[in-house]
Structure formats: C-alpha cells, structure tokens
C-alpha cells in the first residue's frame, strides 16, 4: 500500500471501538477500578447505567522490534491499525462518507517529490531486491512560505517494484487460476534436466520506454503436495537483460528448478519490471524435450494471438429450432466468414456483422458450429468452434487444430513443427488437473491452464501417426480426442467414445446375483461383439442423478409428499461423491438447482418448488 498510495473508507459501528478483545491483568484491574455506575436524566426519567473508561487503542501497537515475546494482540478497535497505517504511509483515513468531499478538496494541495532510487539501489540498498526502503521527508524552514509548525504527512516507505511476498502471493493466485496473467507477454516451459529436477525456459517481451533498462525480478512457483508452493526469485539488472536480448526485443532465460520425480506439479513463472510495476505471469507447459530443442526455440512458446473470429455462445442453455449465431472479428482483414454445422458447410457471410441462422431441429441435440475467417486473397486468418447442447455436467476435450484441409488440397504432409490446439469444456464446479498431449503413444507436453496449445515435432521420415489429447479432472474423470495425420484413405478424426452400461442381474426369484466377473458378459452392438474397456461394481462408481419434479397446479396436495420422498432419496446418495440436479416443471421446465455434489443444496432446491401452471412434461423430458 505504501508503494502505490491508498485510501481506506471502512465501515465500523461506533460500539465496536468499545469492545476490548484482550487485556493484560494490570489493564483489566485498572479498568475495573475506573468503572463506575452513574445516574443520568434522559427524557424526564432517571436511568442508571454502567460507564466504562475510554480505551486507548495506541496501547495495542508497538514498534516492530518490540513484538517478540509480547502478549497476543486482539482487534480492540477496528480503525486503530488503519490509523497506524496512515501514519506510516502518508495516507488518510475517512471514518464516514461525509469526510470524502473534504478529502477531495484537499487532494489538489498534495505535493509530489521524485528522487532517484537507482542510485540508492546501486549503493547496496535492499531496494535492488524490491524490499521497501525507509524514507523521511521534512520541511526546510520557512522556504516557499512553509509554516515551520506545519505537519508533513508522507510515505515512510518506498520500493522499486513490489516486495517478494507480493510476488509469491500473485504466484499462488495464478496456480489456482484466480487472477489474470498480467500485462507483459510471458511464455514458459519446463523440461526434465539431465542432472535431475527441471529446467524452466522463460521468454518475455519488454515494452515501453524503460524496456531493457528496468531491473526485472523473475519468480518461479512450483505447486507442493500439501497445497502450498515453493518459490525461486532471481533479479536481473540492465546488464543481464542486455545479454539475454534478441533482435526481436524478446528475452529468454533458463533456470533450474526443483521438480518432484513421482508426480507432475503445476509451475508458474512471473516477470516483474521493478521500475514500472508492470508484470506478467503464466502457467509453464511441461515438455518432453527442452524448448531449445523445438523448432523455433523458445519463440514457439509465445502465446498465440487473439482469435481472428470468435463465435458468441447463445444465451439459452439448450437451443433448438431456428437459432442465430453471431461472431466477433478482431482483424480488419477479415473479408468473409464461412460457417459449418457438424462439419458440413451451411453459409458464407460477406460483410460484418458476420452471423448465420440455422435450423437445429425440434430436439436440443449436440451440434458443433464452426466459423472460418478469410482475407480478400483467400488466406485463412483463423477459426473458432462452438459446441451447443452439451449440458452443464459434461466434460469434453476436442482438438481444434491442426486442420487437415492442406492434405485434401494437395499441399503435402503435415511434418516438422505442428501446433496442436485443444478446446476444453468443464462441468460446472469442476477443476482441470492437467491436459496431456501425445504423438502416437509418447507424451510430448502437459498444460495446466489455457491456452491449450502444444508444439509437436512430426518426423519427416515417419510422418504417419495420430495426435491424442487427454484431459483429466481433479476428481479423476478423463476425456480425450484423437486426430489422425498424414494417413491417406483413413478417417481423419477418431471419435473416442466410452459408453457406460449399468446392468442388473437377478435370479428367478428376482434377487440380485453378486460376484459375477467380466468374463460372464458379452456386449453386442448391431450384432457385432464389442470389447469391454473396463468392468466394475456400479455401486462404487459416482453417479449424477437428475430429478424432474412435477410442480404444476395439479400437484397442490401431493407436492409435499413428493418433495419429502425425493429428499429422502437424495440424502441416500454418497455425499461429496455423487452429484444431482433438480428440474421443476409447470408451464415450463426450470433448473431449480444445477448439478452439484453438495446434496444439501439439492434438497433445499427441492423444497423451493411451488405448485402452479399446467404440466409441461415433454419439455421437461427434453
């Protein structure tokens, strides 16, 4: 706060300042002695009340060197620590909104003093590492008409950049994907080191007038098994940056980091310009080879540019019938946009706004809408795909690049460096653990956060094969997609689908038969025997249960019993393992509770249903 300036306007009830959280025995004894009972006249009546002495919040705060060994300090007065902060940083504390106008009137009267912190850092000050430096500002007599009795309020601490704990906090938030990745373009990848551990290759592009002259701090965070992280900091001065610069203004750095050999852990890299305060961060990709061994080196890791065309998702969760899909284009060079539905061309837009209206049928079936943007000379500028009607509980991974039109048009094989991009759809409330990229059966890279792009080297002497992308959720669920490359006559895409069959086996009396193995079953699809990928007791598998409850007016008497029965059923599911959702239908179906493993919320959603309207049972089924 001291570095960037601040204004705090907290809301604190007046009574809160009279509450004493912790006192020493001496303070408690003295307060008891001062406490007294007094009688006052209010509204013509005598009222007896107990009066407590005013507690001085300054007693709670001591200098840093006096904290060790002292008693625990409670929050006696909410405003007291902010007052202390105001004294240290030159800030102001507004106790209510009425003080804001006066503060704004005083604001133009503030003065700004600029001094060179680089010389301070060169003299060995900890400012070179981003740590705060103590600064004192004082009036020089009556110069400039200053009153010697005037009080100077200014920051006591300044810093070049942010302290290391701030960088570590940003890294923790990035590991959890809770903040954006900053404004500096950053790309990073980690490969195993022959000496053990890992080698992180980081590339960033400095910008602005201070590019290459501002000291830079690099922070690398490696996720730990207990949910924390380990950190590595490295400071780079102007001389270091000059040695790392290339002809394009980018800078590339390699750092050894500690990696667990038994499990892949997410890695985050941050770069901060200490003079300007600008920063950038990214999740590092895990690669089988060092980025220096890839075609293009670390330049292959630079984040891709924004899409030339982007399809806007419809507002409805489920769409059917005539539906319009609109696009947003980010390049002026886009002259036309071709639209595809499930791989088949359906329309061409020749002028903005590029949009298409398509009939999706009477039922909300799953469809994939694609848009491809072209320049005036017919060159493809970019494409986007959107899957609709997948529901909120589905997990889907789909390869969106590379496209193999080049092969169909006789442009040759896809060999050398090939960028593979994937689109990932997560169920609501779920978290992606990692996304793995394979060339044939060899894993070549792992991503933990967008953009899900991996460069793969397709051998020129053996170009035929397939690309596989596998996504894994934190709960162990998986989804994958496969794309065949450079294989004439074969389907270019393999739809990998595992179909779950829940089977109940009973004897002649209708009793369940237990203990049957996989060898006891055969699965036939249109008469042809299918291989069984996995086999197990369904009672051990997590379930997702959807409850569609008739809440029409005709249920006025019965609804309470239905709610009780449904609630009993939901409570019988495995908490935090099974998931459920609730749909109520009267005139129209409504999602009362979305898919969640918090079964108490599902039960609460059941009892929010109220009987009204007619019975839209077919809409509810759809």
């Amino acid at each position: 706060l001291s570095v960037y300036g601040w204004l705090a306007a907290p809301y604190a009830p007046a009574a809160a300042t009279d509450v004493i959280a912790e006192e020493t025995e001496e303070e408690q004894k003295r307060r008891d002695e001062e406490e007294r009972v007094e009688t006052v006249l209010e509204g013509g009546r005598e009222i007896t009340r107990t009066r407590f002495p005013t507690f001085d919040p300054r007693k709670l705060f001591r200098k840093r060197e006096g904290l060790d060994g002292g008693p625990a300090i409670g929050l006696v007065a909410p405003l007291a620590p902010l007052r202390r902060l105001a004294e240290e940083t030159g800030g102001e504390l507004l106790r209510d909104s009425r003080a804001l106008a006066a503060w704004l009137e005083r604001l133009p009267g503030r003065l700004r003093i600029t001094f060179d912190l680089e010389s301070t850092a060169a003299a060995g000050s900890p400012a070179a590492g981003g740590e705060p430096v103590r600064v004192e500002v004082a009036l020089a007599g009556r110069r400039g008409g200053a009153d010697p009795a005037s009080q100077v309020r200014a920051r006591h601490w300044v810093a070049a950049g942010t302290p290391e704990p701030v960088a570590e906090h940003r890294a923790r938030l990035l590991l959890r994907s809770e903040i954006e990745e900053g404004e500096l373009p950053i790309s990073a990848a980690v490969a195993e080191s022959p000496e053990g551990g890992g080698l992180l290759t980081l590339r960033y592009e400095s910008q602005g007038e201070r590019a290459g002259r501002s000291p830079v701090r690099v922070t690398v965070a490696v996720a730990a098994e207990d949910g924390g992280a380990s950190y590595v900091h490295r400071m780079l001065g102007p001389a270091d940056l000059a040695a790392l610069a290339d002809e394009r203004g980018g800078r590339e750095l390699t750092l050894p980091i500690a990696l667990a050999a038994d499990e892949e852990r997410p890695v985050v890299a941050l770069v901060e310009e200490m003079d300007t305060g600008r920063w950038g961060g990214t999740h590092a990709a895990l690669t089988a080879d060092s980025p220096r061994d890839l075609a293009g080196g670390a330049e292959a890791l630079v984040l891709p540019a924004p899409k030339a065309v982007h399809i806007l998702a419809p507002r409805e969760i489920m769409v059917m019938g005539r539906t319009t899909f609109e696009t947003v284009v980010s390049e002026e060079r886009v002259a036309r946009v071709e639209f595809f539905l499930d791989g088949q061309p359906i329309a061409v837009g020749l002028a903005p706004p590029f949009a298409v209206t398509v009939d999706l049928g009477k039922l909300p079936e799953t469809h994939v809408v694609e848009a491809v943007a072209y320049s005036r000379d017919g060159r493809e500028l970019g494409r986007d795909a959107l899957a609709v009607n997948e529901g909120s509980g589905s997990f889907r991974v789909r390869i969106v690049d590379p496209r193999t039109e080049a092969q169909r048009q006789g442009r040759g094989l896809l060999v050398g460096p090939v960028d593979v991009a994937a689109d990932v759809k997560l169920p609501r409330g779920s978290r992606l653990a990692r996304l793995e990229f394979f060339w044939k059966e060899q894993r070549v890279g792992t991503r933990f956060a967008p953009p899900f792009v991996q460069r793969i080297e397709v051998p020129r002497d053996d170009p035929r094969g397939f690309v596989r992308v596998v996504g894994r959720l934190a709960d162990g669920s998986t989804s994958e997609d496969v794309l065949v490359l450079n294989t004439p006559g074969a389907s270019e895409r393999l739809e990998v689908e595992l179909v779950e069959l829940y089977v109940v086996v009973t004897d002649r009396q209708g009793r369940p038969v237990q203990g049957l193995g996989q060898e006891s079953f055969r699965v036939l699809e249109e008469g042809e025997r299918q291989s069984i990928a996995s086999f197990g007791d369904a009672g051990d598998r997590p379930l997702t249960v959807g409850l569609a409850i008739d809440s029409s007016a005709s249920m006025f008497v019965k609804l309470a019993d239905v709610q009780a029965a449904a609630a009993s059923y939901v409570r019988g599911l495995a908490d935090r393992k099974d998931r459920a959702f609730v749909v109520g239908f009267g005139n129209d179906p409504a999602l009362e509770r979305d898919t969640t493993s918090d079964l108490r919320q599902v039960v609460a959603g059941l009892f929010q249903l109220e009987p009204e309207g007619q019975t839209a049972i077919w809409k509810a089924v759809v």
Side-chain angles (χ1 to χ4, degrees), residues 68-206:
D68 294 338
I73 299 177
L75 185 61
V76 174
L79 300 182
L82 295 176
R83 293 194 192 99
R84 170 67 184 274
L85 189 60
E87 295 172 0
E88 290 291 327
T89 64
E92 293 193 42
L93 180 62
L94 306 185
R95 299 193 59 167
D96 55 60
S97 59
R98 292 172 295 180
L100 181 60
W103 180 83
L104 292 174
E105 290 180 0
R106 295 194 305 272
L107 186 59
R110 288 192 170 190
L111 302 176
R112 183 176 64 182
I113 300 175
T114 304
F115 64 98
D116 187 3
L117 194 62
E118 288 187 359
S119 60
T120 308
S125 164
E131 295 304 318
V133 177
R134 180 86 180 190
V135 173
E136 182 179 354
V137 181
L139 287 174
R142 297 180 62 87
R143 297 177 185 177
D147 184 356
S150 299
Q151 181 184 9
V152 177
R153 294 178 58 83
R155 304 175 187 174
H156 287 192
W157 301 90
V158 298
T162 57
E164 288 184 357
V166 176
E168 294 177 0
H169 180 66
R170 283 174 173 165
R172 285 194 297 271
L173 295 179
L174 273 175
L175 282 171
R176 301 196 295 262
S177 299
E178 293 181 3
I179 59 173
E180 298 296 328
E181 299 182 335
E183 55 188 325
L184 293 180
I186 307 294
S187 54
V190 176
E192 292 185 4
S193 171
E195 292 78 19
L199 286 176
L200 180 135
T201 299
L202 170 72
R203 180 180 174 85
Y204 85 99
E205 297 180 7
S206 53

Side-chain angles (χ1 to χ4, degrees), residues 256-540:
I257 59 174
L259 286 179
D262 57 337
E263 185 179 358
E264 293 180 332
R265 304 269 172 81
V267 177
V268 159
L270 267 76
V271 173
E272 299 171 282
E273 293 182 347
M274 307 305 287
D275 285 359
T276 66
R278 293 181 301 187
W279 69 282
T282 186
H283 277 75
L286 299 185
T287 63
D289 300 318
S290 170
R292 296 181 181 275
D293 298 331
L294 295 175
E299 291 188 13
L301 302 173
V302 176
L303 302 184
K307 291 182 177 181
V309 60
H310 176 74
I311 304 177
L312 299 178
R315 295 181 180 180
E316 297 81 6
I317 297 177
M318 309 294 275
V319 291
M320 62 193 94
R322 292 182 60 80
T323 305
T324 299
F325 294 92
E326 300 177 339
T327 65
V328 174
V329 295
S330 59
E331 292 194 25
E332 296 180 356
R333 296 178 296 164
V334 175
R336 78 176 195 276
V337 175
E338 295 186 4
F339 293 91
F340 297 82
L341 179 64
D342 299 330
Q344 300 298 318
I346 53 175
V348 178
L350 300 178
F354 300 101
V356 64
T357 300
V358 58
D359 188 353
L360 298 180
K362 296 182 179 180
L363 297 176
E365 300 178 12
T366 301
H367 297 283
V368 176
V369 180
E370 294 181 275
V372 185
Y374 293 92
S375 62
R376 295 187 182 280
D377 58 2
R379 186 164 53 91
E380 181 180 322
L381 299 177
R383 62 176 64 214
D384 190 22
L386 176 69
V388 296
N389 297 334
E390 290 186 304
S392 61
S394 61
F395 174 36
R396 187 258 303 145
V397 172
R398 182 176 178 84
I399 299 173
V400 295
D401 271 321
R403 301 292 174 173
T404 52
E405 286 88 354
Q407 293 173 260
R408 288 200 298 267
Q409 297 175 14
R411 300 180 189 174
L413 302 177
L414 290 173
V415 295
V418 175
D419 291 330
V420 178
D423 179 62
V424 179
K425 181 182 182 299
L426 300 176
R428 294 182 184 177
S430 64
R431 182 176 64 86
L432 181 69
R434 61 185 182 272
L435 189 71
E436 299 172 322
F437 293 80
F438 295 82
W439 168 245
K440 298 182 180 178
E441 291 301 328
Q442 179 184 1
R443 186 174 59 186
V444 295
T446 304
R447 294 275 180 171
F448 299 94
F452 298 118
V453 181
Q454 177 68 38
R455 176 158 290 188
I456 294 177
E457 289 287 334
V458 178
R460 296 181 180 276
D461 56 352
D462 185 19
R464 297 183 179 181
F466 58 91
V467 174
R468 186 162 62 100
V469 180
V470 181
R472 304 182 189 276
L473 297 183
D475 63 4
S477 304
T478 63
S479 176
E480 66 180 86
D481 194 14
V482 175
L483 184 67
V484 177
L485 297 181
N486 305 321
T487 305
S491 172
E492 293 179 344
R493 176 176 294 275
L494 299 179
E495 296 293 343
V496 181
E497 295 183 356
L498 294 180
V499 179
E500 291 184 343
L501 298 177
Y502 291 91
V503 179
V504 177
V505 180
T506 58
D507 60 17
R508 296 183 184 276
Q509 286 73 39
R511 295 170 298 188
V513 177
Q514 303 287 347
L516 297 177
Q518 178 174 331
E519 67 280 356
S520 301
F521 296 87
R522 287 190 304 163
V523 178
L524 304 179
E525 183 177 358
E526 295 185 354
E528 295 188 10
R529 186 166 183 171
Q530 305 295 315
S531 61
I532 299 176
S534 63
F535 183 89
D537 189 343
D540 298 330

